[in-house]
């Protein structure tokens, strides 16, 4: 991932230095486990612990000749350890190191993502409560429908991110698995007990069965979980971009002092952050497709997945980390305009009370078809003439044969509408634990 979208604590997991450090940690853990099993002499382990080291530049230089990164790493480590390096990597295959290390990196990256999701959940909870009763026009197909509140919108996102939190925790658990089972997963040169001991030292569970590699459905689950989380952030961002449109302007991305919106038009205040998050979601989703294509490999393994994962795992975890933190910060500073929400609510001539009127008429004994015809007739005239629906209804003699003018006035009363809405909001908030 390019530095522009790269939180340092996340990118630190994916550096060559961090990767080789985990490789060395694993190799030493394997020597320790074999010493504990009576295979490696204790003095050799002491030497390895004291002397084992590596140099990234030297490894990369050796790899130019070997064309094999694990061999280059082992060659470099051996140059520091000396003769006792013969005990390092004994009985292991390259994927024992590479796959188990990748699991450690994904686990550690996933732990950061879990914390970031928890932070966003907390921000959504605070702002949902803040705007619990802030009336906003609900829209379906982009058209005014019935009233809702901005707090309900945020509560909806809060619950979605809670589900994403559970998904991410499950995905981290799924990927927190190692394997030290050899060339085709049959423990020809090391026992399952050694594998279990090594994984325990690394904070991983041993895979119950593997080939030369851990199966890539695990990685696909992790990648697709990240894609779902990114898609949620995109969903929220797209909504806020719509709300910032000039014609709507119910909410607005914070515009800092000195910020410029356009090189040509000084008046512009654009939702650039939410647009950026929309774009990054496409990257994370695309990477998840590559992860699913990695599931089907030849026989006990091939290496077609390796080049893909060197790109998609660092990039997706880094991009999603950036997205979560950026959206949390943007939501914290989001400018919300309740007065504009009220203006927009009042701009559709009372048409959003159409269903309330429809139900009132059916309660009077009209068939749904007849009631719908009476209300729709007036609603279409309201649109065409920009006349409040209440005024037209009160002049409709056929409709007034079934309902009184006083009852109609009550149906269109904002206090009545708001009272029903508040009752519903209270129930929904309580049901979701934010009462």
């Amino acid at each position: 991932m390019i530095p522009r979208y790269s939180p340092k604590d996340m990118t630190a997991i994916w550096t060559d230095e961090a990767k080789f450090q985990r490789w060395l940690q694993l190799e030493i853990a394997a020597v320790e486990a074999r010493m504990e099993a009576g295979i490696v002499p204790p003095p050799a382990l002491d030497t390895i612990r004291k002397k084992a080291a590596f140099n990234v530049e030297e490894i990369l230089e050796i790899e130019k000749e070997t064309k094999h990164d694990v061999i280059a790493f082992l060659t470099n480590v051996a140059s520091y350890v000396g003769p006792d390096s013969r005990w390092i990597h004994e009985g292991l295959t390259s994927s024992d190191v590479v796959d188990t290390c990748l699991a450690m990196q994904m686990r550690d990256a996933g732990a950061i993502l879990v914390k970031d999701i928890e932070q966003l959940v907390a921000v959504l909870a605070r702002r949902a409560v803040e705007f619990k009763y802030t009336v906003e026009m609900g829209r379906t197909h982009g058209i005014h429908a019935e009233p809702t509140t901005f707090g309900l919108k945020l509560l909806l996102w809060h619950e979605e991110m809670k589900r994403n939190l559970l998904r991410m925790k499950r995905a981290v658990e799924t990927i927190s698995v190692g394997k030290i089972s050899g060339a085709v997963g049959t423990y020809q040169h090391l026992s399952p007990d050694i594998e279990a001991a090594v994984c325990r030292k690394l904070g991983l569970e041993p895979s119950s069965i593997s080939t030369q590699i851990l199966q890539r459905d695990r990685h696909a689950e992790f990648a697709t979980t990240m894609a779902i989380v990114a898609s949620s952030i995109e969903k929220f961002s797209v909504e806020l971009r719509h709300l910032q449109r000039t014609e709507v302007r119910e909410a607005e991305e914070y515009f800092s002092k000195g910020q410029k919106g356009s090189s040509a038009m000084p008046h512009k205040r654009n939702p650039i952050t939410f647009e950026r998050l929309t774009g990054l979601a496409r990257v994370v989703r695309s990477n998840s497709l590559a992860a699913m294509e990695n599931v089907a490999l030849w026989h006990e393994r091939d290496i077609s997945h390796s080049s893909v994962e060197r790109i998609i795992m660092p990039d997706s975890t880094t991009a999603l980390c950036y997205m979560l933190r950026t959206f949390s910060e943007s939501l914290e500073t989001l400018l919300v305009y309740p007065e504009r929400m009220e203006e927009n609510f009042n701009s559709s001539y009372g048409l959003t009370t159409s269903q309330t009127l429809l139900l009132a008429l059916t309660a009077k004994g009209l068939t749904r078809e007849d009631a719908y015809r009476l209300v729709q007739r007036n609603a279409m005239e309201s649109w065409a003439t920009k006349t409040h629906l209440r005024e037209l209804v009160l002049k409709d003699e056929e409709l007034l044969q079934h309902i009184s003018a006083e009852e109609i006035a009550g149906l269109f009363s904002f206090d009545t509408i708001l009272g029903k809405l508040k009752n519903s909001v209270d129930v929904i908030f309580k049901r979701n634990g934010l009462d």
Side-chain angles (χ1 to χ4, degrees), residues 232-249:
S232 291
I233 295 175
E234 179 186 23
K235 166 187 169 179
F236 310 155
S237 297
V238 167
E239 176 68 14
L240 291 170
R241 286 167 57 196
H242 279 307
L243 295 183
Q244 188 165 336
R245 287 182 298 125
T246 304
E247 295 83 356
V248 181
R249 204 166 179 269

Side-chain angles (χ1 to χ4, degrees), residues 68-229:
H68 195 295
D69 54 356
V70 176
I71 292 176
F73 166 77
L74 293 170
T75 300
N76 185 241
V77 172
S79 70
Y80 288 92
V81 174
D84 282 329
S85 63
R86 70 187 182 90
W87 299 104
I88 297 174
H89 201 70
E90 188 178 46
L92 278 68
T93 190
S94 296
S95 289
D96 289 333
V97 177
V98 173
D99 267 19
T100 303
C101 170
L102 181 58
M104 295 166 68
Q105 289 175 299
M106 294 168 68
R107 174 201 62 195
D108 296 344
I112 291 176
L113 295 176
V114 165
K115 289 182 180 179
D116 289 339
I117 295 172
E118 289 173 338
Q119 171 63 21
L120 178 52
V121 168
V123 174
L124 284 165
R126 288 197 300 272
R127 301 232 74 180
V129 171
E130 180 182 354
F131 298 107
K132 182 176 182 179
Y133 299 121
T134 301
V135 178
E136 179 185 33
M137 180 53 65
R139 299 171 174 90
T140 59
H141 304 276
I143 308 301
H144 283 198
E146 291 188 348
T148 183
T149 74
F150 192 60
L152 280 179
K153 190 186 298 288
L154 296 176
L155 178 62
L156 184 80
W157 300 352
H158 173 266
E159 292 304 301
E160 185 165 336
M161 287 310 301
K162 283 170 61 179
R163 293 193 295 275
N164 283 330
L165 180 59
L166 293 176
R167 291 185 183 106
M168 184 57 67
K169 287 180 177 180
R170 286 196 300 265
V172 171
E173 181 179 356
T174 296
I175 202 57
S176 297
V177 170
K179 59 89 59 183
I180 312 290
S181 56
V184 294
T186 55
Y187 304 99
Q188 288 293 301
H189 306 289
L190 288 176
S191 73
D193 290 340
I194 297 296
E195 178 186 64
V198 173
C199 288
R200 184 173 62 250
K201 293 173 185 291
L202 301 176
L204 300 172
E205 288 293 321
S207 179
S208 61
I209 184 172
S210 61
T211 58
Q212 188 172 116
I213 60 169
L214 291 168
Q215 299 308 287
R216 259 45 197 180
D217 64 289
R218 295 180 182 273
H219 303 66
E221 180 178 343
F222 187 75
T224 53
T225 297
M226 288 192 288
I228 293 171
V229 178

